[in-house]
């Protein structure tokens, strides 16, 4: 039997490492190729057509050059813009996407009011609007497009100084309105961009002890990927090693130094 290829994972930059971290734990026998499309980041304030074109180009590179067995779109913005099209164009390639975890948040909230922080591209997409409408009137949803935040995290995550990201997090968390467990307050906050969990400590600091649960769907995406792979006929249980035995190969369209620094810190 031919050995299975690696699982391809991509994002506009380092954010998808929050998903890769969960994938590594969930799928200990698989190999991964992670592509940060940082020459074209951030995606969140670009047009739908631009993000779709980049997602197609990345899929092509991962399939043609790395022979991936499955693709995980570790980016909410790219999932919203491209997952339907990529699946239609590559019906034999299992593709798993990520979207803001509204349903887990609805299951979790006690106050009936949830907050969603995501990129403008995600929140303005038809996919997100359909997801939000599917909730009906069961909960109140307050959403904020966090312009510039993924970019600030991308630039600051590898270093010790988070001044830009911290200021934006305080601004956007403040814009949500009253937070906490009292009636009407937001008690559940969805991190709807894969960059944001890398700044979990900064979000915690901005919440200043208020009773708010942060929701990150990375583990749900990893479990979904495992389920999709398990459902395929006769997967090879013994993956062949990359040169040097690496489980993860890191690629970056705009230069690898930020990605490597972030991977050392987060993986
Ligand atoms: N991390 C990505 C997401 O989940 C994209 C951030 C960006 O490039 O703006 O949406």
């Amino acid at each position: 039997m031919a050995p299975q290829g690696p699982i391809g994972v991509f994002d506009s930059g380092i954010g998808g490492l929050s998903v890769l971290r969960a994938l590594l734990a969930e799928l200990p026998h698989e190999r991964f190729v992670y592509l940060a499309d940082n020459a074209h980041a951030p995606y969140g304030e670009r047009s739908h057509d631009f993000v779709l074109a980049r997602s197609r180009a990345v899929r092509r590179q991962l399939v043609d050059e790395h022979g991936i067995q499955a693709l995980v779109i570790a980016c909410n913005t790219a999932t919203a813009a491209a997952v339907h099209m990529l699946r239609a164009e590559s019906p034999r390639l299992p593709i798993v996407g990520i979207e803001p975890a509204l349903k887990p948040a609805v299951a979790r909230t006690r106050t009936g009011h949830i907050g969603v922080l995501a990129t403008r591209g995600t929140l303005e997409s038809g996919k997100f609007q359909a997801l939000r409408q599917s909730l009906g009137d069961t909960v109140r949803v307050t959403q904020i497009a966090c312009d510039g935040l993924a970019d600030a995290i991308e630039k600051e995550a590898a270093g010790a100084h988070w001044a830009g990201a911290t200021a934006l997090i305080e601004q956007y968390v403040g814009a949500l309105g009253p937070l906490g467990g009292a009636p009407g307050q937001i008690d559940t906050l969805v991190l709807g961009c894969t960059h944001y969990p890398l700044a979990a400590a900064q979000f915690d600091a901005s919440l200043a002890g208020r009773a708010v649960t942060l929701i990150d769907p990375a583990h749900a995406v990893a479990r979904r990927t495992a389920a999709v792979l398990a459902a395929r006929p006769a997967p090879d249980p013994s993956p062949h090693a990359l040169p040097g035995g690496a489980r993860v190969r890191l690629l970056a369209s705009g230069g690898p130094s930020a990605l490597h620094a972030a991977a050392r810190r987060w993986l």
Side-chain angles (χ1 to χ4, degrees):
M1 186 186 299
Q4 298 286 316
I7 296 170
V9 183
F10 85 94
D11 180 39
S12 63
I14 63 171
L17 294 178
S18 63
V19 177
L20 180 59
R21 191 166 53 185
L23 287 163
L24 286 165
E26 186 70 30
L27 292 162
H29 302 297
E30 297 291 349
R31 296 174 303 121
F32 297 87
V33 179
Y34 183 92
L35 197 152
D37 190 22
N38 54 358
H40 305 95
Y43 284 175
E45 290 136 56
R46 311 299 280 266
S47 72
H48 169 279
D49 287 353
F50 178 90
V51 178
L52 175 58
R54 287 310 311 156
S55 301
R56 281 180 166 137
V58 168
R59 183 247 342 246
R60 193 177 321 117
Q61 182 179 346
L62 290 172
V63 169
D64 293 353
E65 297 175 19
H66 301 277
I68 57 170
Q69 59 163 314
L71 179 65
V72 177
I73 308 176
C75 174
N76 292 264
T77 313
T79 299
V83 70
H84 292 315
M85 199 64 90
L86 296 190
R87 283 192 181 126
E89 292 168 353
S90 303
R92 295 221 306 259
L93 180 69
I95 300 178
V96 177
I98 187 167
E99 65 182 8
L102 293 195
K103 287 181 180 158
V106 170
R108 168 71 187 70
T109 181
R110 298 267 185 277
T111 62
H113 190 179
I114 67 176
V116 184
L117 301 178
T119 68
R120 185 166 295 281
T122 295
L123 295 179
E124 290 179 355
S125 69
K127 193 169 187 308
F128 178 79
Q129 285 164 20
L131 176 65
R132 188 171 165 172
Q133 273 170 14
S134 74
L135 304 180
D137 295 330
T138 48
V139 289
R140 191 169 155 210
V141 180
T142 298
Q143 64 190 50
I144 306 279
C146 300
D147 291 346
L149 180 52
D151 196 37
I153 293 171
E154 183 81 22
K155 295 195 169 105
E156 295 176 350
H161 302 290
W162 286 67
T166 300
L168 287 172
I169 287 169
E170 279 171 8
Q171 176 189 327
Y172 293 132
V173 167
L176 286 164
L179 296 152
Q185 293 183 334
I186 291 173
D187 68 348
T188 309
L189 186 52
V190 175
L191 300 182
C193 165
T194 55
H195 280 69
Y196 303 168
L198 301 181
Q202 286 70 23
F203 276 101
D204 282 342
S206 77
L207 292 170
R210 285 169 291 185
V212 176
T213 303
L214 297 176
I215 309 263
D216 165 16
H219 289 282
V221 170
R223 286 194 298 274
R224 172 84 192 126
T225 305
V228 166
L229 293 179
R232 292 187 319 169
D236 186 338
S238 56
H240 67 139
L242 287 170
R247 278 190 70 205
V248 179
R249 178 176 281 178
L250 298 172
L251 310 170
S253 59
S257 56
L259 177 63
H260 284 173
R264 275 194 298 278
R265 178 164 183 168
W266 301 108
L267 296 185

